[in-house]
Amino acid sequence: MILVLRFEDATTPGYIALREGTYVVGRGKNCDIKLENSTVSRRHCIIRHQEEGWIIEDLGSKNGVHVNEKAVLKTEILQEGDYVLIGKVLGKIELYEEEDYLKERLTPLPITVEFLQEEETEIITTRASIPEIESKLLEVIKDIHHLSFSQLEKDLYSILKKLGVEEIGMAKISASGLAYLSTSSSSIMEKVFKEKSPRKTFVINEGPYFFYNRYIKECDSLYYLLSTSPLDESLFPVLDAIFRYYLLLKNVHPQGKTGEREIILEDYIFESESMKKLIRHAREIAEKEGNILIEGETGVGKEVLAELIHKWSPRAGGPFITVNAAAIPDTLAESELFGISKKSVTGVEEKPGKFEAAHNGTLFFDEIGEMSTAIQAKILRAIETGEIYRIGSINPIKVNIRIIAATNQDLENSVKEGTFRKDLFYRLASFRIKIPPLRERKEDIIPLANKFAQELAREYSKPFNGITEKAKQLLITYEWPGNVRELKNVIGEAIAKIGDDGVLSAKLLPISSRGSTKTADSGEIELEIIEKNAIIKALRKTRGNKTKAAKLLGISRGGLIKKIKRLGIKKEDYT
């Protein structure tokens, strides 16, 4: 049994992880665990494991030992979640089975734990909400070290070198910390950030190492150029123009190398043979003309695959536009897809639709089966003629697009039931790809979990050092009804609770081996309940008349029938 004691207000380290054994705790230099705090006696207490479990024993200390605010007179058995006060040093107890902790995160002894002084505690009031720049930096540098620059970035840094700028980088700063980084040197970040104290608020604009890049007007958050030495102000407009051009090209050629359809699959996890075979097939059809139908359960990654196909296709330089068919009411579908002409409706401004936005690119329809048959007819006509009409206009607009449609339904069955047009189905399904659910490709689970954990740890400014064997086993045996989307939600919840040792253990996962989630995907479940209740209420109001109920809900009758079937609504629910 592993014992982890997590300290409050410790500067380094923030925790100790101990194997079964006996450990002396105190302020003296011969202690196994030395706590640098004036309220701790030289030999304060002993923490040891014995037959009944982990215990703590007071060695006659001046300020005593308390467990959950109760003074320890001699010994006390420690339980999961106990709060231990050693002098005025507060810690929380966590207990792990051997297989549910990472051996490399066990604490080498003896060790000294340092704490904030009382006056420092007042100064650092927002420490928990501010990312520690040093730890963030080390994570980012590790990532950069393994990245190969695209030709575009090489060209950029070649230009900068001619201007006498040897080491420079660009960072995108979001509310949660460092979100994007590109540098010409693996050491630039170390040199820059060593000047900053990780215990202070990170203010970008201070000092000669940072200057403002005016390109931020076009971005969601701030972009800054970083340099290891002060730069001549006359270079600012030139550098600004270079980075504007760089970012513009990066948006035009998101696939990596200018003029080439070369995709680095670092962002995609395909370890299972079934997915490797599927990806080879997807790459082949990406080069061909023809619309694509992607089938699979909710959350398997249909949009991810669609975007990957777009990047591999000859249309990669064009836009990738998404339409969530299930989220658009019938009353708005035509204007969303085909646009509105100038002054066609009083008080409504002219606007292009999704078809125009996707010109020379790819239009991705998510949950195409939710579209009403009336809208299906208009989509079919647009595909057949290559023309669309804005609402209120008699002038056709030529569009050159490829459609990738996705569905979690059996569209062939919908065709038989008359809720999906047969002619549109064949137009969309020039090529068909079916993504297997996550439970059928278990080899992908742990690699995906590691990828999500690394990404979310950076986003939340949390440490991540690995997943324990017990946690891995739990992830593999769980059935994943919500597929990859649910896996990401589960990992996100675990990372939000992870300790400063960065160990993702089984106890952090909101799932059970019985195949049910405790809290993951609760948002989706709540939405389904709300949707189900709204439909039942509408059916009761219209006394079971589906046409009238659909009108009340702002959806088509066919769409309502599909929802009734998907949500398992029975006649007795509304009669």
Side-chain angles (χ1 to χ4, degrees), residues 250-496:
K250 198 168 182 69
N251 288 333
V252 173
H253 299 284
Q255 69 278 11
K257 293 189 179 181
T258 309
E260 296 180 26
R261 291 188 297 280
E262 190 172 304
I263 304 297
I264 299 171
L265 290 175
E266 289 173 347
D267 291 337
Y268 305 90
I269 302 295
F270 309 119
E271 293 294 327
S272 61
E273 284 305 314
S274 61
M275 285 304 291
K276 287 177 182 177
K277 185 178 177 181
L278 183 149
I279 289 305
R280 285 194 294 270
H281 178 53
R283 186 155 198 167
E284 287 171 7
I285 65 175
E287 296 286 343
K288 301 172 183 176
E289 280 300 319
N291 298 320
I292 301 170
L293 179 63
I294 302 176
E295 300 166 289
E297 295 178 6
T298 298
V300 291
K302 296 186 287 291
E303 185 172 350
V304 172
L305 180 62
E307 193 165 3
L308 187 54
I309 290 170
H310 168 74
K311 290 177 179 179
W312 270 326
S313 77
R315 297 175 178 272
F320 178 81
I321 304 297
T322 64
V323 178
N324 187 339
I328 305 175
D330 275 5
T331 50
L332 298 177
E334 190 172 353
S335 62
E336 282 292 311
L337 296 177
F338 307 116
I340 302 173
S341 66
K342 195 173 184 180
K343 297 180 181 177
S344 62
V345 181
T346 305
V348 178
E349 293 184 3
E350 177 184 41
K351 74 163 189 175
K354 300 287 188 181
F355 272 80
E356 278 181 79
H359 182 58
N360 288 331
T362 302
L363 181 59
F364 173 66
F365 273 100
D366 195 13
E367 302 308 338
I368 187 72
E370 297 290 343
M371 284 288 184
S372 70
T373 50
I375 296 298
Q376 288 174 32
K378 293 179 185 292
I379 294 170
L380 177 65
R381 187 191 178 283
I383 293 171
E384 289 177 336
T385 63
E387 294 178 345
I388 56 123
Y389 290 84
R390 287 184 180 179
I391 292 175
S393 173
I394 58 171
N395 300 315
I397 299 171
K398 290 281 185 186
V399 287
N400 175 15
I401 62 171
R402 177 190 221 172
I403 291 179
I404 301 179
T407 181
N408 62 6
Q409 301 175 22
D410 182 347
L411 280 193
E412 285 184 286
N413 192 50
S414 298
V415 168
K416 290 174 186 174
E417 292 176 350
T419 56
F420 200 85
R421 292 183 64 110
K422 185 177 182 179
D423 42 7
L424 178 58
F425 173 77
Y426 288 116
R427 282 285 187 178
L428 294 174
S430 300
F431 302 99
R432 291 173 74 175
I433 298 176
K434 186 163 187 177
I435 304 177
L438 192 56
R439 62 184 172 275
E440 292 179 9
R441 47 187 176 102
K442 292 185 179 289
E443 303 96 316
D444 294 335
I445 292 173
I446 301 306
L448 278 168
N450 273 308
K451 173 183 179 290
F452 293 146
Q454 288 163 6
E455 291 174 350
L456 292 165
R458 284 195 292 270
E459 186 179 332
Y460 300 163
S461 299
K462 291 273 194 172
F464 171 67
N465 291 307
I467 303 173
T468 67
E469 288 306 313
K470 187 176 179 181
K472 286 178 182 178
Q473 192 59 34
L474 189 54
L475 290 170
I476 290 168
T477 54
Y478 180 64
E479 286 298 300
W480 299 110
N483 291 292
V484 179
R485 187 182 300 154
E486 184 185 8
L487 174 61
K488 187 171 185 180
N489 289 345
V490 164
I491 296 299
E493 188 166 337
I495 290 295

Side-chain angles (χ1 to χ4, degrees), residues 79 83 116 129 137 153 159 172 196 204 234 236 264 320 322 330 341 449 460 492 517 536 542 558:
Q79 307 288 346
Y83 282 92
L116 294 173
S129 62
L137 168 63
E153 287 170 330
I159 294 167
K172 179 179 178 182
K196 304 291 174 186
I204 287 287
S234 64
F236 287 11
I264 299 171
F320 178 81
T322 64
D330 275 5
S341 66
Y460 300 163
T517 53
I536 290 170
T542 60

Side-chain angles (χ1 to χ4, degrees), residues 222-235:
L222 305 181
Y223 276 84
Y224 290 90
L225 303 181
L226 314 173
S227 174
T228 53
S229 59
L231 296 169
D232 188 336
E233 285 190 17
S234 64
L235 280 178

